């Protein structure tokens, strides 16, 4: 086993989860310019929905995935209506507090319903694949995670770049008022963006529960990673979110492997602070390029 | 102010006064005991398990006449598994309910945070869970029914050496329990002639241990000693086996919790860990039967400790120790109280000296005593 290659692979797997979350985050931030603090909690809801459908109702995995997507979309719809819509004209702080409140409610309801234990969709040892290059080890679930990250990134890019909905979203992101004078239904676009963003977060949660197991308190850590991944290359950019997520995962694992495992979580804070201090618009200043 | 609004104000004031008196500290026919435990949050099992045991104890105590004819009641306050939560819970209990004794806290970091407050307020603190060695030095009002990790670390060091591993790698979490156990283990193991090849840490609630595992195997240790809680330990074991690491693992008492086996699944097979002895005397069997009848599953060691903590309290209260200082004195004089966790006798530090740790392993998904 080549250690450098294995650490990179571990980083890619963790980074893929961050990337999926960051992509969803970029979408909702892009159209509204407001941070959805319930994004991490939505991810956890996805994990528990997958667990409930597969373990408690014994449904096949593909139906469960559809269920997870729907649950995420529904939650996204509700979060936007409850935590963002009433505060459209208020200072950004209002939406921060209201979405944070929603996140806390979700976390505590999950803890009350499912208990405090960790739920794992695949307890025990997942099937191990040895990749021919450098003898790197990867489980089937991890391969799935990386593939889903690339798939989600590709699909979101297609939706934004090639569909009417996407073009309208870009218009709303650029200037909501101007877009509305052109007949674009601004509130509908914002709603749609939140539904898509949250269903993507829910899928990330489901993948986490396959690989690592999920518990009701994981949301905050997830939100923080999604935010940092976004900040690295500029908040609101889709390619930036994908690259940022992967880079963050790899950085965390390299720091843990070659500096000290004690600094693994701390390095995320360090990255965030450095980028905000030195390049507040992100390393590549992708922020103003909206979704592109 | 009109007559009507005056009347309104008066009625509201009356209602408020009535409400306040309704929740005032113990009334004449009731005696209150506080409980500061992590009932929610990442280490909620350290609170929920003792709570279940305490509920059984409470029913038994009140069915057999309460405390000399008065009804015993327990007021719970959630500590959330954090130092701050524990301080808030303690202060709420101390200010509002004013019990002479508080059963708690759960995680060692909580007990370490409120030990001084217990001494300052002259309220006895009796923990059914916290095992960090540093708790021994918190002061006269702090007691616990679980043995100190200083004993556990020593026993684990001996066991690792007896198993033929003179060199090991160590993994631990940044929590008071884990770092304390790691420090004591390291000191004892080196003093007994062992060598630590590598030490890796992670955060409580971490999910991915793969890179730490890669680092530990870099030093080619013949075995890994991992002071991880149930959740983190389960994930770590699963990931180790998925990475193809087949080294033997040693761990501490949280691995007795079901969560560990649930997450690790077959990866938990054969791990070795120490845990406070599950006493099997008549009291323990009676407790187990009641627990199974009430909750449908078998109790873990912390449920039994919660049960014993409340029974111990009732025992000294029935003999007339009703204030904090009186209970403190009574605990010091207590000799050989038999409960669901065996014999409890406290030393000068409030530690139990009468309960051993035992060697356990996991076989076919069950926690069983380790046989050589």
């Amino acid at each position: 086993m080549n250690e450098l290659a294995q650490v990179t692979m571990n980083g890619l797997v963790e980074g893929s989860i961050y990337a999926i979350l960051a992509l969803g985050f970029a979408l909702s931030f892009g159209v509204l310019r407001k941070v959805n603090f319930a994004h991490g909690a939505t991810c956890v809801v996805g994990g528990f929905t997958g667990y409930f459908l597969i373990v408690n109702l014994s449904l096949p995995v593909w139906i469960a995935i559809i269920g997870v997507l729907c649950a995420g979309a529904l939650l996204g719809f509700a979060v936007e209506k409850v935590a963002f819509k009433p505060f459209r004209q208020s200072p950004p702080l209002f939406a921060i507090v209201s979405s944070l409140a929603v996140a806390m409610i979700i976390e505590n309801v999950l803890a009350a319903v499912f208990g405090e234990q960790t739920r794992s969709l695949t307890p025990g040892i997942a099937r191990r694949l040895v990749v021919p290059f450098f003898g790197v080890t990867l489980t089937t679930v991890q391969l799935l995670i990386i593939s889903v990250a690339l798939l989600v990134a590709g699909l979101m890019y297609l939706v934004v770049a090639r569909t009417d909905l996407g073009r309208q979203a870009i218009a709303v992101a650029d200037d909501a008022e101007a877009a509305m004078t052109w007949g674009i239904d601004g509130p509908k676009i914002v709603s749609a963006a939140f539904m898509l963003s949250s269903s993507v977060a829910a899928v990330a949660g489901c993948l986490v529960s396959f690989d690592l197991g999920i518990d009701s308190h994981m949301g905050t850590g997830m939100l923080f990673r999604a935010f940092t991944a976004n900040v690295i290359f500029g908040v609101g950019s889709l390619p930036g979110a994908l690259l940022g997520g992967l880079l963050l995962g790899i950085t965390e694992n390299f720091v843990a492997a070659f500096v000290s495992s004690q600094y693994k979580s701390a390095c995320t804070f360090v990255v965030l602070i450095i980028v905000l201090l030195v390049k507040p618009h992100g390393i590549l200043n992708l922020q103003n390029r909206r979704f592109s | 102010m009109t007559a009507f609004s005056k009347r309104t104000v008066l009625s509201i004031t009356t209602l408020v006064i009535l409400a306040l008196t309704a929740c005032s500290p113990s009334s004449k026919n009731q005696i209150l005991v506080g409980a500061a435990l992590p009932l929610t949050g990442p280490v909620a099992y350290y609170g929920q398990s003792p709570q279940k045991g305490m509920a059984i104890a409470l029913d038994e105590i009140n069915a057999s006449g309460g405390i000399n004819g008065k009804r015993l009641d327990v007021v719970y306050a959630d500590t959330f598994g954090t130092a701050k939560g524990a301080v808030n819970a303690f202060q709420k209990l101390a200010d509002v309910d004013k019990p002479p004794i508080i059963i708690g806290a759960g995680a060692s970091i909580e007990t370490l945070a409120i030990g001084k407050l217990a001494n300052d307020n002259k309220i006895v603190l009796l923990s059914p869970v916290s095992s960090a060695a540093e708790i021994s030095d918190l002061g006269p009002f702090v007691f616990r029914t679980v043995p100190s990790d200083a004993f556990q670390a020593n026993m684990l060091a001996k066991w690792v050496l007896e198993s033929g591993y003179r060199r090991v790698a160590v993994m631990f979490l940044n929590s008071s329990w884990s770092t304390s156990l790691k420090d004591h283990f390291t000191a004892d193991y080196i003093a007994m002639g062992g060598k630590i090849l590598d030490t890796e840490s992670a955060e409580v609630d971490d999910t991915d241990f793969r890179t730490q595992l890669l680092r530990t195997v870099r030093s080619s240790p013949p075995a890994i000693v991992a002071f991880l809680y149930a959740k983190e330990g389960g994930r770590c074991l699963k990931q180790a086996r998925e990475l193809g690491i087949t080294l033997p693992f040693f761990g501490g008492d949280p691995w007795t919790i079901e969560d560990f086996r649930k997450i690790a699944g077959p990866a938990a097979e054969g791990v070795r860990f120490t845990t406070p002895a599950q006493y099997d005397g008549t009291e323990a069997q009676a407790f187990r039967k009641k627990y199974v009848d009430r909750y449908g599953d078998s109790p873990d060691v912390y449920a039994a400790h919660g049960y014993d903590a409340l029974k111990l309290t009732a025992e000294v209260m029935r003999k007339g120790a009703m204030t904090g200082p009186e209970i403190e004195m009574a605990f010091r004089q207590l000799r050989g109280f038999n409960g669901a966790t065996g014999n409890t006798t406290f030393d000068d530090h409030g530690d139990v000296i009468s309960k051993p740790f035992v060697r356990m392993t996991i076989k076919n998904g069950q926690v069983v005593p380790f046989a050589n």
Side-chain angles (χ1 to χ4, degrees):
Chain A
M1 179 165 48
N2 180 313
E3 196 183 347
L4 190 70
Q6 185 66 54
V7 172
T8 313
M9 185 55 84
N10 293 350
L12 268 182
V13 172
E14 241 183 327
S16 297
I17 295 283
Y18 301 164
I20 302 174
L21 278 166
L23 282 164
F25 187 90
L27 192 63
S28 59
F29 185 86
V31 290
L32 213 54
R33 294 275 159 223
K34 278 175 185 163
V35 174
N36 177 12
F37 274 86
H39 198 65
T42 310
C43 159
V44 179
V45 169
F48 277 104
T49 309
Y51 181 86
F52 179 72
L53 296 178
I54 294 172
V55 176
N56 294 34
L57 301 186
S58 316
L59 293 176
V61 174
W62 66 272
I63 296 186
I65 301 278
I66 296 175
V68 167
L69 280 168
C70 294
L74 269 177
L75 187 61
F77 182 79
V79 166
E80 198 270 326
K81 288 284 170 285
V82 172
F84 288 90
K85 198 159 181 243
F87 308 109
R88 198 63 48 85
Q89 306 303 330
S90 319
L93 188 66
F94 282 69
I96 290 177
V97 174
S98 60
S99 64
L100 198 58
V102 169
M104 287 170 84
I105 293 170
I106 294 175
E107 186 177 311
N108 285 297
V109 167
L110 283 177
V113 175
F114 286 95
E116 302 279 354
Q117 296 92 351
T118 303
R119 309 285 169 164
S120 180
L121 271 172
T122 47
I125 310 152
R127 236 180 71 210
R128 204 153 65 89
L129 308 168
V130 177
V131 183
F133 319 104
F134 310 113
V136 169
T137 300
L138 193 68
T139 65
T140 36
V141 174
Q142 292 171 329
L143 190 65
L144 182 75
I145 289 175
I146 298 179
S147 324
V148 170
L150 296 176
L151 185 74
V152 167
L155 280 178
M156 280 177 81
Y157 192 76
L158 279 183
V159 168
V160 171
R162 296 286 159 85
T163 64
D164 272 353
L165 185 72
R167 286 187 205 108
Q168 291 178 3
I170 294 175
V172 172
D174 275 341
D175 189 335
E177 273 181 39
M180 268 143 88
T181 60
W182 284 90
I184 293 172
D185 188 347
K188 200 180 90 187
I189 295 296
V190 170
S191 229
F194 263 81
M195 287 167 77
L196 187 58
S197 149
S198 297
S199 54
V200 166
V203 167
C206 196
L207 290 172
V208 171
S209 67
F210 268 114
D211 188 32
L212 305 165
I214 198 140
D215 62 70
S216 48
H217 303 286
M218 282 169 80
T220 319
M222 293 292 181
L223 172 79
F224 181 59
R225 258 80 183 203
F227 182 66
T228 309
N230 258 280
V231 167
I232 295 176
F233 288 110
V235 190
S237 149
L238 293 185
L242 175 68
L243 292 178
L246 296 177
L247 186 67
L248 185 63
I250 293 173
T251 311
E252 276 192 5
N253 279 279
F254 265 75
V255 167
F258 303 112
V259 183
S260 163
S261 49
Q262 273 178 299
Y263 300 123
K264 188 180 173 196
S265 303
C267 91
T268 312
F269 287 91
V270 175
V271 168
L272 182 64
I273 291 167
I274 291 178
V275 175
L276 286 177
L277 279 178
V278 181
K279 282 269 190 187
H281 295 297
I283 296 174
L284 297 181
N285 195 10
L286 291 178
Q287 184 171 322
N288 294 324
R289 309 254 321 260
R290 304 297 170 188
F291 299 121
S292 55
Chain B
M1 194 181 269
T2 64
F4 176 74
S5 67
K6 245 187 217 166
R7 202 188 306 152
T8 317
V9 171
L10 276 177
S11 10
I12 291 174
T13 317
T14 318
L15 275 175
V16 170
I17 290 170
L18 278 175
L20 282 175
T21 39
C23 57
S24 75
S26 41
S27 57
K28 271 184 188 162
N29 289 316
Q30 179 202 36
I31 289 170
L32 273 188
V33 167
L37 292 165
L39 302 172
T40 60
V43 291
Y45 44 78
Y46 282 148
Q48 291 171 354
S49 274
Q51 190 183 29
K52 286 181 179 170
M54 285 165 70
I56 294 176
L58 187 65
D59 286 354
E60 280 180 15
I61 293 161
N62 284 327
S64 59
I67 307 294
N68 305 330
K70 289 181 185 174
R71 195 187 147 69
L72 184 70
D73 268 313
V74 182
V75 199
Y76 286 91
D78 193 350
T79 55
F80 303 103
T82 62
K84 190 172 142 243
V87 170
N88 287 341
F90 184 94
Q91 271 164 348
K92 184 254 160 190
L93 289 172
D95 294 347
V96 179
D97 305 294
K98 302 184 174 38
I101 174 167
I102 291 175
I103 293 174
S108 292
I109 191 170
E110 300 176 331
T111 306
L112 287 166
I114 57 176
K116 185 174 180 303
L117 290 174
N119 287 309
D120 291 350
N121 288 281
K122 297 202 179 343
I123 294 176
V124 172
L125 197 61
L126 176 61
S127 175
V129 181
S130 303
S131 56
E134 288 72 15
I135 291 169
S136 307
D137 305 320
L138 282 182
F141 280 82
V142 182
F143 295 83
R144 47 183 161 173
T145 62
V146 285
S148 162
D149 281 338
F151 304 137
Q152 174 161 217
N154 187 277
M155 199 190 135
L156 197 59
K158 272 187 203 148
W159 187 12
V160 173
L161 283 168
E162 276 173 27
S163 310
Y165 304 113
R166 306 202 70 78
R167 293 168 303 133
V168 290
V170 171
M171 291 177 79
F172 73 102
L173 295 173
N174 284 322
S175 79
S176 333
W177 167 80
S178 187
T179 40
S180 149
L181 196 53
K182 183 256 312 177
D183 290 344
H184 281 84
F185 171 82
T186 306
D188 290 353
Y189 184 68
I190 292 173
M192 291 174 197
K195 190 178 175 204
I196 307 278
L197 296 173
D198 181 42
T199 304
E200 295 298 330
S201 77
E203 300 299 321
V204 177
D205 263 358
D206 263 2
T207 51
D208 195 326
F209 299 89
R210 295 184 181 102
T211 301
Q212 282 95 330
L213 284 163
L214 283 179
R215 277 179 70 113
T216 46
V217 296
R218 200 190 282 167
S219 57
S220 320
I224 297 175
V225 182
F227 301 111
L228 308 177
Y229 292 121
K231 194 167 71 177
E232 291 81 357
R235 285 175 174 149
C236 180
L237 253 300
K238 173 175 149 75
Q239 290 163 15
R241 303 308 185 219
E242 284 174 0
L243 281 168
I245 298 168
T246 53
L247 294 174
F249 272 80
F250 288 84
D253 54 288
W255 291 4
T256 183
I257 294 167
E258 200 187 1
D259 232 17
F260 174 74
R261 279 166 286 148
K262 267 195 179 163
I263 298 168
E269 286 297 303
V271 297
R272 297 172 224 186
F273 57 95
T274 45
T275 185
Q278 282 263 19
Y279 171 65
D280 205 34
T282 43
E283 297 85 356
Q285 285 168 6
F287 168 70
R288 199 163 300 150
K289 187 177 176 310
K290 278 184 187 161
Y291 191 97
V292 174
D293 288 348
R294 184 158 175 167
Y295 301 110
D297 52 0
S298 47
D300 62 22
V301 64
Y302 301 112
H305 277 283
Y307 173 86
D308 275 7
L310 196 59
K311 291 286 267 192
L312 259 174
T313 307
E315 165 96 3
V316 296
M317 281 181 159
R318 278 173 176 165
K319 288 180 182 156
M322 300 309 291
T323 65
E326 284 168 5
I327 294 175
E328 190 245 70
M329 280 305 291
F331 275 171
R332 293 198 182 284
Q333 287 157 3
L334 184 89
R335 289 287 171 274
F337 168 85
N338 268 322
T341 61
N343 185 296
T344 300
T345 301
F346 296 110
D347 71 1
D348 290 346
H349 296 280
D351 281 334
V352 276
I353 42 175
S354 45
K355 287 177 195 165
F357 276 90
V358 286
R359 300 172 176 187
M360 305 298 276
T361 185
I362 289 172
K363 212 173 182 180
N364 302 323
Q366 298 298 317
V367 175
V368 293
F370 180 80
N372 289 318

